[in-house]
Amino acid sequence: MRRIGGFWRRFAISPAAAAGLVIFAALLAATVLAGLISPAPPGAIDLDAALERPSLSHPFGTDPFGRDVLSRIVHGARISLGVGFLARTISLLIGLFLGSLAGYFGGRLDSVLMRLADITFAYPTLLLLIAIIAVVSPGMISLFVTLGVVGWASVARLVRAEVLSVKEREFVQAARASGANHAVILLRHILPQCLASVLVVYTLGLGMTIMAEASLSFLGLGVQPPAPSWGGMISGGIAFMRTAPWLTFFPGLFLTLTVCSLNLIGDGLRDALNPRLASALAKPPGVSGGRPGAAIEGSR
Amino acid sequence: MRTFIVKRLAMLVPILLGVATLTFILMYVVPGDPVRALAGERYDEETLARMRTELGLDRPLAVQYVAFLGRLARFDLGRSFVTRRPVAEAIRERFPRTLVLALSAMVLAIVGGIAIGTIAAWGRRPVVSRILMTFSLVGVSMPVFWLGLLLIYLFAIKLRVLPPSGYGGGSIRNLILPAVTLSFASMATIARVTRSGVLDALGEDYVRTARAKGLGERIVLGKHVLRNALIPVITIAGADFGSYLSGSVLTESIFGWPGLGRFVVQAILRRDFPVIQGAVLFMALLFILVNLAVDLSYGAIDPRIRPEGGKR
């Protein structure tokens, strides 16, 4: 209990992390209460009110179909955050499973899995995503499955390193000596020790995953219209940059705020849980320095 | 050092093979009839049959795989479905333009990032430092395509000082906005790393010694602090090369820059698979080679982390 209290104090002391948490909580609340906040249903077309400037009835203006931009942003948040959480959870499960197997059993399994991770890292992330989605045809399901699968490697590497550092400690040897089987040792004794760093890599990767989703939707490979997505809204606004800049401005602002708050939370978690972690999270061996999102590289 | 280089080169082989295999799987082993998936609905039976023979899809998968590797070794990436032009030729034509953009962005990011990070750590005024660090935090969180559009709006539409898009025969005026856009995230990262490096170095004994023996602040900064603080910056700048390649896909399509990234986007819109796969494969290879170069240079710059057998 004292440990948790100490953690919370260290996290709350950092004003940046607290600010991130407040911003993200506000965004989450807006997502949950989307129906209450938005002035109109996100798909409601009103051609008489097309391309209106921001006003009291439409705080962020309207698009060429007269749809309310604020409503589409709030409903788009559901998709962005939903895809982000789902994809990141898939990465987490795959990474936890393969990473702990590699770290615990070592040997040939370990080297095969780590070479696979090297291959995943050999691609700039966005390009690998593009190459896969171009083949499997775009859509919501292929989007979060692809994002999830591609993100496994950073989680697996981290979990493997953590398992390696824990597995020879006394309490693990004690469990082994008392006759516990591999599954019990891994699940009950080793993995709980890795949770802190997994939480950090999950949060930092979440921002980058949301960014990758927006980039793909911007390119037309992600969420398909008419479903509202931030990336899609920005690309739809390009043609109206001269006359209706609010179409591109507001969705991008929300995207930036979301990613920014997640980076702040992730940095805060990392510093509060374990300052030593900072170097363990950086991608290539030997590189250190507080770099948000370094674990899921290059998706901007 | 030589054994290290040989070892790193040997590690390259399985990774290159893996990347090629993954590309092969994406290209040829997709579920369903790949030719129909590749061609879409616009093609008749005759075209489908021709494509099948052209791609060798009537042969066993293992034979196809070996043939694919053979063609790859000769840098034969197939022909575009749309223009019928060899993909490798198109890459050769477009890559230099992407390189110019990426290198300009890299120089901007390194110079700007080091300057911002040093001022933030060294400066006497906490307000300035806080503003600069907030700027770099927002910088890493900003989507590159949105930033590009904001810059177009400000400098091309409102102020009308720079062209909104286009190549302009490679003129500097056309290069400025895309290069700034592409450099931004990396500049912000480098600023953060520089700042923490400078702050760390300022607490070291050798800085106290340098000051104690009466060296001017400027010499302390240049000769003692920065030289140590910048080692990680070099690695970060190199590792960010992947983000320049990813970023070029988005940046080039916004600014109408006729490089490799825009080539990929156009291919996506036309569902031109040989072009997508060829260009992605090419960029992955480039990324691998740059990472290798970064690893090697890191060992050369800082003898402390040179791996075992580290004699020259």
Side-chain angles (χ1 to χ4, degrees), chain A residues 118-119 121-124 126-127 130-132 134-135 211 214-215 218-219 221 234 238 241-242 245 248-249 252-253 255-256 259-260 263-264 267 286-287 290-292 297-298 300, chain B residues 15 18-19 22-23 26 30 137 140-143 145-146 149-150 153 157 185 189 192 235-236 239-240 242-243 246-247 249-250 254 265 268 271 273 276-277 280 283-284 287-288 298:
Chain A
D118 287 345
I119 292 166
F121 274 130
Y123 288 91
L126 183 65
L127 287 166
I130 287 176
I132 296 177
V135 174
M211 186 83 96
S215 307
F218 178 80
L219 292 173
L221 288 172
I234 294 173
I238 293 180
M241 278 293 282
R242 276 167 208 279
T248 41
F249 180 73
L253 184 67
L255 182 55
T256 306
V259 176
C260 197
N263 281 342
L264 286 171
D267 284 352
V287 184
R291 194 157 118 81
E297 172 56 33
R300 335 181 247 260
Chain B
I15 293 182
V19 167
L22 187 55
T23 310
L26 285 176
V30 286
L137 174 78
V140 269
S141 311
M142 224 187 237
F145 50 94
W146 187 58
L149 292 171
L150 289 186
Y153 183 71
I157 297 181
T189 313
R192 288 169 68 113
T235 325
I236 295 283
D240 261 356
S243 76
S246 289
V249 175
L250 298 160
I254 292 168
V265 174
I268 292 169
R271 305 189 68 68
F273 289 84
I276 301 175
Q277 308 298 4
V280 169
M283 292 204 231
F287 186 43
I288 293 171
Y298 202 61

Coordinates of all heavy atoms in Angstrom, one line a residue, chain A residues 118-119 121-124 126-127 130-132 134-135 211 214-215 218-219 221 234 238 241-242 245 248-249 252-253 255-256 259-260 263-264 267 286-287 290-292 297-298 300, chain B residues 15 18-19 22-23 26 30 137 140-143 145-146 149-150 153 157 185 189 192 235-236 239-240 242-243 246-247 249-250 254 265 268 271 273 276-277 280 283-284 287-288 298:
Chain A
D118 N 12.8 -8.1 -34.9 CA 13.7 -7.3 -35.7 C 13.1 -7.0 -37.0 O 13.3 -5.9 -37.5 CB 15.1 -8.0 -35.9 CG 15.9 -8.1 -34.6 OD1 15.6 -7.3 -33.7 OD2 16.8 -8.9 -34.5
I119 N 12.5 -8.0 -37.6 CA 11.9 -7.8 -39.0 C 10.8 -6.8 -38.9 O 10.7 -5.9 -39.7 CB 11.4 -9.1 -39.5 CG1 12.6 -10.0 -39.8 CG2 10.6 -8.9 -40.8 CD1 12.2 -11.5 -40.1
F121 N 10.6 -4.4 -36.8 CA 11.2 -3.1 -36.6 C 11.9 -2.6 -37.8 O 12.3 -1.4 -37.9 CB 12.2 -3.1 -35.4 CG 11.6 -2.9 -34.1 CD1 11.8 -3.8 -33.0 CD2 10.8 -1.9 -33.8 CE1 11.3 -3.6 -31.8 CE2 10.2 -1.7 -32.6 CZ 10.4 -2.6 -31.6
A122 N 12.2 -3.5 -38.8 CA 13.0 -3.1 -40.0 C 12.1 -2.2 -40.9 O 12.7 -1.5 -41.7 CB 13.4 -4.3 -40.7
Y123 N 10.8 -2.2 -40.7 CA 10.0 -1.3 -41.5 C 9.7 0.0 -40.8 O 9.4 0.0 -39.6 CB 8.6 -1.9 -41.8 CG 8.6 -3.1 -42.7 CD1 8.8 -4.4 -42.3 CD2 8.4 -2.9 -44.1 CE1 8.8 -5.4 -43.2 CE2 8.4 -3.9 -45.0 CZ 8.6 -5.2 -44.5 OH 8.6 -6.2 -45.4
P124 N 9.7 1.1 -41.5 CA 9.0 2.3 -40.9 C 7.6 1.9 -40.7 O 6.9 1.4 -41.6 CB 9.2 3.4 -41.9 CG 10.3 2.9 -42.8 CD 10.3 1.4 -42.8
L126 N 4.5 3.2 -40.4 CA 3.4 3.6 -41.2 C 3.4 2.9 -42.6 O 2.4 2.5 -43.1 CB 3.4 5.2 -41.4 CG 2.2 5.7 -42.2 CD1 0.9 5.5 -41.5 CD2 2.4 7.2 -42.5
L127 N 4.7 2.7 -43.1 CA 4.8 2.0 -44.4 C 4.4 0.6 -44.3 O 3.7 0.1 -45.2 CB 6.2 2.2 -44.9 CG 6.5 3.6 -45.4 CD1 8.0 3.8 -45.5 CD2 5.8 3.8 -46.7
I130 N 0.7 0.6 -44.3 CA 0.1 0.8 -45.6 C 0.2 -0.4 -46.5 O -0.8 -0.8 -47.1 CB 0.9 2.0 -46.3 CG1 0.5 3.3 -45.6 CG2 0.6 2.0 -47.8 CD1 1.3 4.5 -46.1
A131 N 1.4 -1.1 -46.4 CA 1.5 -2.3 -47.3 C 0.5 -3.4 -46.9 O 0.0 -4.0 -47.8 CB 3.0 -2.8 -47.1
I132 N 0.3 -3.6 -45.6 CA -0.7 -4.6 -45.2 C -2.1 -4.2 -45.6 O -2.8 -5.0 -46.2 CB -0.6 -4.9 -43.7 CG1 0.8 -5.4 -43.4 CG2 -1.7 -5.9 -43.3 CD1 1.0 -5.6 -41.9
A134 N -3.3 -2.1 -47.7 CA -3.5 -2.0 -49.1 C -3.9 -3.4 -49.7 O -4.7 -3.5 -50.6 CB -2.3 -1.5 -49.9
V135 N -3.4 -4.5 -49.1 CA -3.7 -5.8 -49.5 C -5.0 -6.3 -48.9 O -5.9 -6.9 -49.6 CB -2.6 -6.8 -49.2 CG1 -2.9 -8.2 -49.6 CG2 -1.3 -6.3 -50.0
M211 N -2.4 8.2 -33.5 CA -1.8 9.0 -34.5 C -1.7 8.2 -35.8 O -2.0 8.7 -36.9 CB -0.4 9.4 -34.1 CG 0.3 10.3 -35.1 SD -0.3 12.0 -34.8 CE 1.1 12.6 -33.8
A214 N -5.1 7.9 -37.4 CA -5.5 9.1 -38.1 C -4.8 9.3 -39.4 O -5.3 9.7 -40.4 CB -5.2 10.3 -37.1
S215 N -3.5 8.9 -39.4 CA -2.7 9.0 -40.6 C -3.3 8.1 -41.7 O -3.4 8.5 -42.9 CB -1.2 8.6 -40.4 OG -0.7 9.4 -39.3
F218 N -6.5 9.5 -42.9 CA -6.2 10.6 -43.7 C -5.9 10.2 -45.2 O -6.3 10.8 -46.1 CB -5.0 11.4 -43.1 CG -4.5 12.6 -43.9 CD1 -5.2 13.8 -43.8 CD2 -3.4 12.5 -44.8 CE1 -4.8 14.9 -44.6 CE2 -3.0 13.6 -45.5 CZ -3.7 14.8 -45.4
L219 N -5.1 9.1 -45.3 CA -4.8 8.6 -46.6 C -5.9 7.8 -47.2 O -5.8 7.3 -48.4 CB -3.5 7.7 -46.5 CG -2.2 8.4 -46.1 CD1 -1.1 7.3 -45.9 CD2 -1.8 9.3 -47.2
L221 N -7.1 5.0 -46.0 CA -6.9 3.5 -45.7 C -7.5 3.1 -44.4 O -7.4 2.0 -44.0 CB -5.4 3.2 -45.8 CG -4.8 3.2 -47.1 CD1 -3.3 3.1 -47.0 CD2 -5.3 2.1 -48.0
I234 N -9.9 15.7 -41.6 CA -8.9 16.6 -42.0 C -8.7 16.5 -43.5 O -8.6 17.6 -44.2 CB -7.6 16.3 -41.2 CG1 -7.7 16.6 -39.7 CG2 -6.4 17.2 -41.8 CD1 -6.6 16.2 -38.9
I238 N -9.3 19.6 -46.8 CA -8.3 20.2 -47.6 C -8.8 21.0 -48.8 O -8.4 22.2 -49.0 CB -7.3 19.1 -48.2 CG1 -6.6 18.5 -47.1 CG2 -6.3 19.7 -49.2 CD1 -5.6 17.4 -47.5
M241 N -9.8 24.6 -47.7 CA -8.8 25.3 -46.9 C -9.0 26.8 -47.0 O -8.9 27.6 -46.0 CB -7.4 25.0 -47.3 CG -6.8 23.7 -46.7 SD -6.7 23.8 -44.9 CE -5.1 24.7 -44.8
R242 N -9.3 27.4 -48.2 CA -9.4 28.8 -48.4 C -10.6 29.4 -47.8 O -10.6 30.4 -47.2 CB -9.3 29.1 -49.9 CG -8.0 29.2 -50.4 CD -8.0 29.2 -52.0 NE -6.7 28.6 -52.4 CZ -5.6 29.3 -52.5 NH1 -5.5 30.6 -52.1 NH2 -4.5 28.7 -52.9
P245 N -11.5 27.0 -43.3 CA -10.3 26.4 -42.6 C -10.7 25.6 -41.3 O -10.0 24.8 -40.9 CB -9.4 27.5 -42.3 CG -10.2 28.8 -42.4 CD -11.3 28.5 -43.4
T248 N -10.5 21.7 -41.2 CA -9.2 21.0 -40.9 C -8.7 21.4 -39.5 O -8.0 20.5 -38.9 CB -8.1 21.4 -41.9 OG1 -8.2 22.7 -42.2 CG2 -8.3 20.6 -43.2
F249 N -9.0 22.6 -39.1 CA -8.3 23.1 -37.9 C -8.8 22.3 -36.6 O -8.0 21.7 -35.9 CB -8.6 24.5 -37.7 CG -8.0 25.1 -36.4 CD1 -6.6 25.3 -36.3 CD2 -8.8 25.4 -35.3 CE1 -6.0 25.7 -35.2 CE2 -8.2 25.9 -34.1 CZ -6.8 26.0 -34.1
G252 N -7.8 18.4 -36.1 CA -6.4 18.3 -35.9 C -6.1 18.7 -34.5 O -5.2 18.1 -33.8
L253 N -6.7 19.8 -34.0 CA -6.5 20.2 -32.6 C -6.8 19.2 -31.6 O -6.1 18.9 -30.7 CB -7.4 21.5 -32.4 CG -7.2 22.2 -31.0 CD1 -5.8 22.8 -30.9 CD2 -8.2 23.2 -30.8
L255 N -6.9 15.9 -32.2 CA -6.0 14.8 -32.3 C -4.7 15.2 -31.6 O -4.1 14.4 -30.8 CB -5.7 14.6 -33.8 CG -4.7 13.5 -34.2 CD1 -5.2 12.2 -33.6 CD2 -4.7 13.4 -35.7
T256 N -4.2 16.4 -31.7 CA -3.0 16.9 -31.1 C -3.2 16.8 -29.5 O -2.3 16.3 -28.8 CB -2.6 18.3 -31.5 OG1 -2.5 18.3 -32.9 CG2 -1.3 18.7 -30.9
V259 N -3.1 13.1 -28.3 CA -1.8 12.4 -28.3 C -0.9 13.1 -27.3 O -0.2 12.4 -26.6 CB -1.2 12.5 -29.7 CG1 0.3 12.0 -29.7 CG2 -2.0 11.8 -30.8
C260 N -1.0 14.4 -27.2 CA -0.2 15.2 -26.2 C -0.5 14.7 -24.8 O 0.4 14.4 -24.0 CB -0.5 16.7 -26.4 SG 0.7 17.7 -25.6
N263 N 1.0 11.3 -24.1 CA 2.4 11.4 -24.0 C 2.8 11.9 -22.6 O 3.7 11.4 -21.9 CB 3.0 12.3 -25.0 CG 3.2 11.6 -26.4 OD1 3.2 10.4 -26.4 ND2 3.4 12.4 -27.4
L264 N 2.0 12.9 -22.1 CA 2.3 13.5 -20.8 C 2.1 12.4 -19.7 O 2.8 12.2 -18.8 CB 1.4 14.7 -20.5 CG 1.8 16.0 -21.2 CD1 0.7 17.0 -21.1 CD2 3.1 16.5 -20.7
D267 N 4.8 9.7 -19.9 CA 6.1 10.2 -19.3 C 6.0 10.3 -17.8 O 6.9 9.9 -17.1 CB 6.4 11.6 -19.8 CG 6.9 11.6 -21.3 OD1 7.2 10.5 -21.8 OD2 7.1 12.7 -21.9
G286 N 21.4 1.0 -26.3 CA 22.4 2.0 -26.1 C 21.9 3.4 -26.3 O 22.5 4.4 -25.9
V287 N 20.6 3.5 -26.8 CA 20.0 4.9 -26.9 C 19.2 5.1 -25.7 O 18.5 4.3 -25.2 CB 19.1 4.9 -28.1 CG1 18.5 6.3 -28.3 CG2 19.8 4.4 -29.3
G290 N 14.6 10.8 -22.6 CA 13.2 10.7 -22.5 C 12.5 11.1 -23.8 O 12.3 12.2 -24.1
R291 N 12.1 10.0 -24.5 CA 11.6 10.2 -25.8 C 10.2 9.6 -25.8 O 10.0 8.4 -25.7 CB 12.5 9.5 -26.7 CG 12.4 9.7 -28.1 CD 13.7 9.3 -28.7 NE 13.6 8.2 -29.7 CZ 13.2 8.5 -30.9 NH1 12.9 9.6 -31.3 NH2 13.2 7.5 -31.7
P292 N 9.1 10.4 -25.9 CA 7.8 9.9 -25.8 C 7.5 9.0 -27.0 O 7.9 9.3 -28.2 CB 6.9 11.1 -25.8 CG 7.7 12.2 -26.4 CD 9.1 11.9 -26.1
E297 N 7.9 2.9 -32.7 CA 8.7 3.9 -33.5 C 8.1 4.4 -34.7 O 7.4 3.6 -35.5 CB 10.1 3.2 -33.8 CG 11.0 3.9 -34.7 CD 11.3 5.3 -34.1 OE1 11.3 5.5 -32.9 OE2 11.4 6.2 -34.9
G298 N 8.3 5.7 -35.0 CA 8.1 6.2 -36.4 C 6.7 6.2 -37.0 O 6.6 6.1 -38.2
R300 N 4.7 8.6 -37.0 CA 4.2 9.9 -37.4 C 4.2 10.1 -38.9 O 5.2 9.7 -39.5 CB 5.0 11.0 -36.8 CG 5.8 10.7 -35.5 CD 6.6 11.9 -35.1 NE 8.0 11.6 -35.2 CZ 8.7 11.3 -34.2 NH1 8.2 11.1 -33.0 NH2 10.0 11.1 -34.3
Chain B
I15 N 17.5 -10.5 -41.5 CA 16.5 -9.5 -41.5 C 16.1 -9.1 -42.9 O 14.9 -9.0 -43.2 CB 17.0 -8.2 -40.8 CG1 17.2 -8.5 -39.3 CG2 16.1 -7.0 -40.9 CD1 17.7 -7.4 -38.5
G18 N 13.9 -11.8 -44.1 CA 12.6 -11.7 -43.5 C 11.8 -10.7 -44.1 O 10.6 -10.9 -44.4
V19 N 12.4 -9.5 -44.4 CA 11.6 -8.4 -45.0 C 11.1 -8.8 -46.4 O 10.0 -8.6 -46.8 CB 12.5 -7.1 -45.1 CG1 11.9 -6.1 -46.0 CG2 12.7 -6.6 -43.7
L22 N 8.3 -11.3 -46.0 CA 7.0 -10.7 -45.6 C 6.4 -10.0 -46.8 O 5.2 -10.1 -47.0 CB 7.3 -9.7 -44.4 CG 6.1 -9.0 -43.8 CD1 5.1 -10.1 -43.3 CD2 6.5 -8.1 -42.7
T23 N 7.2 -9.3 -47.6 CA 6.7 -8.7 -48.8 C 6.1 -9.7 -49.7 O 5.0 -9.5 -50.3 CB 7.8 -7.9 -49.5 OG1 8.5 -7.1 -48.5 CG2 7.2 -7.1 -50.6
L26 N 2.7 -10.8 -48.4 CA 1.7 -9.8 -48.6 C 1.3 -9.7 -50.1 O 0.1 -9.4 -50.4 CB 2.3 -8.4 -48.2 CG 2.4 -8.2 -46.7 CD1 3.0 -6.8 -46.4 CD2 1.0 -8.2 -46.1
V30 N -1.9 -13.6 -50.4 CA -3.2 -13.0 -49.8 C -4.3 -14.0 -50.1 O -4.4 -14.7 -51.1 CB -3.5 -11.7 -50.5 CG1 -2.6 -10.6 -49.9 CG2 -3.5 -11.8 -52.0
L137 N 7.1 19.7 -26.7 CA 6.1 18.7 -26.3 C 5.0 18.6 -27.3 O 4.6 17.6 -27.8 CB 5.5 19.0 -24.9 CG 4.4 18.0 -24.6 CD1 5.0 16.7 -24.1 CD2 3.5 18.6 -23.5
V140 N 6.1 17.0 -30.8 CA 6.1 15.6 -30.9 C 4.6 15.0 -31.0 O 4.5 13.9 -31.5 CB 6.8 14.8 -29.8 CG1 8.2 14.6 -30.1 CG2 6.6 15.4 -28.5
S141 N 3.7 15.8 -30.6 CA 2.3 15.2 -30.5 C 1.5 15.6 -31.7 O 0.3 15.2 -31.9 CB 1.6 15.7 -29.3 OG 2.4 15.4 -28.1
M142 N 2.0 16.5 -32.6 CA 1.2 17.1 -33.7 C 1.3 16.2 -34.9 O 2.4 15.8 -35.3 CB 1.9 18.4 -34.0 CG 0.9 19.5 -34.2 SD 1.8 20.9 -34.8 CE 1.3 22.1 -33.6
P143 N 0.1 15.8 -35.5 CA 0.2 15.0 -36.7 C 0.8 15.8 -37.8 O 0.5 17.0 -38.0 CB -1.3 14.8 -37.0 CG -2.1 15.7 -36.2 CD -1.2 16.2 -35.0
F145 N 0.6 15.7 -41.0 CA -0.2 16.2 -42.1 C -1.0 17.5 -41.7 O -1.3 18.3 -42.5 CB -1.2 15.1 -42.6 CG -2.0 14.4 -41.6 CD1 -3.2 14.8 -41.2 CD2 -1.4 13.3 -40.9 CE1 -4.0 14.1 -40.3 CE2 -2.2 12.6 -40.0 CZ -3.4 13.0 -39.6
W146 N -1.4 17.5 -40.4 CA -2.1 18.7 -39.9 C -1.2 19.9 -39.9 O -1.6 21.0 -40.3 CB -2.7 18.4 -38.5 CG -3.6 19.5 -38.0 CD1 -4.8 19.9 -38.6 CD2 -3.5 20.2 -36.8 NE1 -5.4 20.9 -37.8 CE2 -4.6 21.1 -36.7 CE3 -2.5 20.2 -35.8 CZ2 -4.7 21.9 -35.6 CZ3 -2.7 21.0 -34.7 CH2 -3.8 21.9 -34.6
L149 N -0.8 21.4 -43.2 CA -1.9 22.2 -43.7 C -2.0 23.5 -43.0 O -2.3 24.5 -43.6 CB -3.2 21.4 -43.4 CG -3.4 20.2 -44.3 CD1 -4.6 19.3 -43.9 CD2 -3.5 20.6 -45.8
L150 N -1.6 23.6 -41.7 CA -1.6 24.8 -41.0 C -0.6 25.8 -41.6 O -0.9 27.0 -41.8 CB -1.2 24.6 -39.5 CG -2.3 23.9 -38.6 CD1 -1.8 24.0 -37.1 CD2 -3.6 24.6 -38.7
Y153 N -1.9 27.1 -44.8 CA -2.9 28.2 -44.5 C -2.2 29.5 -44.2 O -2.6 30.5 -44.7 CB -3.8 27.7 -43.4 CG -4.9 28.7 -43.1 CD1 -6.0 28.8 -44.0 CD2 -4.9 29.5 -42.0 CE1 -7.0 29.7 -43.8 CE2 -6.0 30.4 -41.8 CZ -7.0 30.5 -42.7 OH -8.0 31.4 -42.5
I157 N -1.8 30.9 -47.9 CA -3.1 31.4 -48.2 C -3.2 32.8 -47.5 O -3.6 33.8 -48.2 CB -4.2 30.5 -47.7 CG1 -4.1 29.2 -48.4 CG2 -5.6 31.1 -47.8 CD1 -5.2 28.2 -48.0
A185 N 8.7 17.2 -35.9 CA 8.6 16.2 -34.8 C 10.0 15.8 -34.4 O 10.3 15.7 -33.2 CB 7.8 15.0 -35.3
T189 N 12.0 16.3 -30.7 CA 12.6 15.2 -30.0 C 14.1 15.5 -29.7 O 14.5 15.3 -28.5 CB 12.6 13.9 -30.8 OG1 11.3 13.7 -31.3 CG2 13.0 12.7 -30.0
R192 N 14.4 17.9 -26.8 CA 14.3 17.3 -25.5 C 15.5 16.5 -25.1 O 16.0 16.6 -23.9 CB 13.1 16.3 -25.5 CG 11.7 17.0 -25.6 CD 10.6 16.0 -25.9 NE 10.4 15.1 -24.8 CZ 9.3 15.0 -24.0 NH1 8.4 15.9 -24.3 NH2 9.2 14.2 -23.1
T235 N 22.5 9.6 -32.5 CA 21.7 8.4 -32.6 C 20.3 8.6 -32.9 O 19.6 8.0 -33.7 CB 21.8 7.5 -31.3 OG1 23.1 7.7 -30.8 CG2 21.6 6.1 -31.7
I236 N 19.7 9.6 -32.1 CA 18.3 9.9 -32.2 C 18.0 10.4 -33.6 O 17.1 10.0 -34.3 CB 17.9 11.0 -31.2 CG1 18.0 10.4 -29.8 CG2 16.5 11.5 -31.5 CD1 16.9 9.5 -29.4
A239 N 18.1 7.5 -35.9 CA 17.0 6.6 -35.8 C 15.7 7.2 -36.3 O 14.7 6.5 -36.6 CB 16.8 6.2 -34.3
D240 N 15.6 8.5 -36.3 CA 14.4 9.2 -36.8 C 14.3 9.1 -38.3 O 13.3 9.6 -38.8 CB 14.4 10.7 -36.3 CG 13.6 10.9 -35.1 OD1 12.9 9.9 -34.6 OD2 13.5 12.0 -34.6
G242 N 13.5 6.8 -40.1 CA 12.3 6.1 -40.4 C 11.1 7.0 -40.4 O 10.2 6.9 -41.2
S243 N 11.1 8.0 -39.4 CA 10.0 8.9 -39.4 C 10.0 9.8 -40.5 O 9.0 10.3 -41.0 CB 9.9 9.6 -38.0 OG 10.9 10.6 -38.0
S246 N 8.4 7.6 -43.3 CA 6.9 7.6 -43.0 C 6.3 9.0 -43.3 O 5.3 9.1 -43.9 CB 6.6 7.1 -41.6 OG 6.9 5.8 -41.4
G247 N 7.0 10.0 -42.7 CA 6.5 11.3 -42.8 C 6.4 11.8 -44.3 O 5.6 12.6 -44.6
V249 N 5.6 10.2 -46.8 CA 4.3 9.8 -47.5 C 3.2 10.8 -47.3 O 2.5 11.2 -48.2 CB 3.9 8.4 -46.9 CG1 2.5 8.0 -47.4 CG2 4.9 7.3 -47.1
L250 N 3.1 11.3 -46.0 CA 2.1 12.3 -45.7 C 2.5 13.7 -46.2 O 1.7 14.3 -46.8 CB 1.9 12.3 -44.2 CG 1.4 11.0 -43.6 CD1 1.6 10.9 -42.1 CD2 -0.1 10.8 -43.9
I254 N 0.6 16.1 -49.2 CA 0.0 17.4 -48.9 C 0.6 18.5 -49.8 O -0.1 19.3 -50.4 CB 0.2 17.8 -47.5 CG1 -0.5 16.9 -46.6 CG2 -0.2 19.2 -47.2 CD1 -0.1 17.0 -45.1
V265 N 1.3 7.0 -52.3 CA -0.1 7.4 -52.1 C -0.9 7.3 -53.4 O -2.0 6.7 -53.4 CB -0.2 8.8 -51.5 CG1 -1.6 9.3 -51.4 CG2 0.5 8.9 -50.1
I268 N -1.7 3.7 -54.0 CA -2.7 3.2 -53.1 C -4.1 3.6 -53.8 O -5.0 2.7 -53.9 CB -2.7 3.9 -51.7 CG1 -1.4 3.4 -51.0 CG2 -3.9 3.5 -50.9 CD1 -1.2 4.1 -49.7
R271 N -4.8 1.4 -56.6 CA -4.6 0.0 -56.2 C -3.5 -0.7 -57.1 O -3.7 -1.7 -57.6 CB -5.9 -0.7 -56.3 CG -7.0 -0.1 -55.4 CD -8.3 -0.9 -55.3 NE -8.1 -2.1 -54.5 CZ -7.9 -2.2 -53.3 NH1 -7.7 -1.1 -52.6 NH2 -7.8 -3.3 -52.6
F273 N -0.5 -2.5 -57.0 CA 0.2 -3.2 -55.9 C 1.7 -3.4 -56.1 O 2.4 -3.2 -55.2 CB -0.5 -4.6 -55.7 CG -1.8 -4.5 -55.0 CD1 -2.9 -4.2 -55.8 CD2 -1.9 -4.6 -53.7 CE1 -4.2 -4.1 -55.1 CE2 -3.1 -4.4 -53.0 CZ -4.2 -4.2 -53.8
I276 N 3.2 -0.2 -54.8 CA 3.1 -0.1 -53.3 C 4.2 -1.0 -52.7 O 5.0 -0.5 -51.9 CB 1.7 -0.5 -52.8 CG1 0.6 0.4 -53.4 CG2 1.7 -0.4 -51.3 CD1 -0.8 -0.1 -53.0
Q277 N 4.2 -2.3 -53.1 CA 5.1 -3.2 -52.4 C 6.6 -2.8 -52.7 O 7.4 -2.9 -51.9 CB 4.8 -4.6 -52.9 CG 3.4 -5.1 -52.7 CD 2.9 -5.0 -51.3 OE1 3.6 -4.6 -50.4 NE2 1.7 -5.5 -51.0
V280 N 7.6 0.3 -50.8 CA 7.7 0.0 -49.3 C 8.9 -0.8 -49.1 O 9.7 -0.5 -48.1 CB 6.4 -0.7 -48.8 CG1 6.6 -1.2 -47.4 CG2 5.3 0.3 -48.8
M283 N 12.0 1.4 -49.2 CA 12.2 2.2 -48.1 C 12.6 1.4 -46.9 O 13.4 1.9 -46.0 CB 10.9 3.0 -47.8 CG 10.6 4.0 -48.9 SD 9.6 5.4 -48.3 CE 8.4 5.4 -49.5
A284 N 12.1 0.2 -46.7 CA 12.5 -0.6 -45.6 C 14.0 -1.0 -45.7 O 14.7 -0.9 -44.7 CB 11.7 -1.9 -45.6
F287 N 15.9 2.0 -44.7 CA 15.8 2.2 -43.2 C 16.8 1.3 -42.5 O 17.5 1.7 -41.6 CB 14.4 1.9 -42.9 CG 14.0 2.2 -41.4 CD1 14.5 3.4 -40.8 CD2 13.2 1.3 -40.7 CE1 14.2 3.6 -39.5 CE2 12.9 1.6 -39.4 CZ 13.4 2.7 -38.8
I288 N 16.9 0.0 -43.0 CA 17.8 -0.9 -42.3 C 19.2 -0.5 -42.5 O 20.0 -0.5 -41.5 CB 17.6 -2.3 -43.0 CG1 16.2 -2.9 -42.7 CG2 18.7 -3.3 -42.5 CD1 15.9 -4.1 -43.5
Y298 N 27.9 5.2 -34.0 CA 27.8 5.3 -32.5 C 29.0 4.7 -31.8 O 29.6 5.4 -30.9 CB 26.5 4.6 -32.0 CG 26.0 5.1 -30.7 CD1 25.6 6.5 -30.6 CD2 25.9 4.3 -29.6 CE1 25.2 7.0 -29.4 CE2 25.4 4.8 -28.4 CZ 25.1 6.1 -28.3 OH 24.6 6.6 -27.1

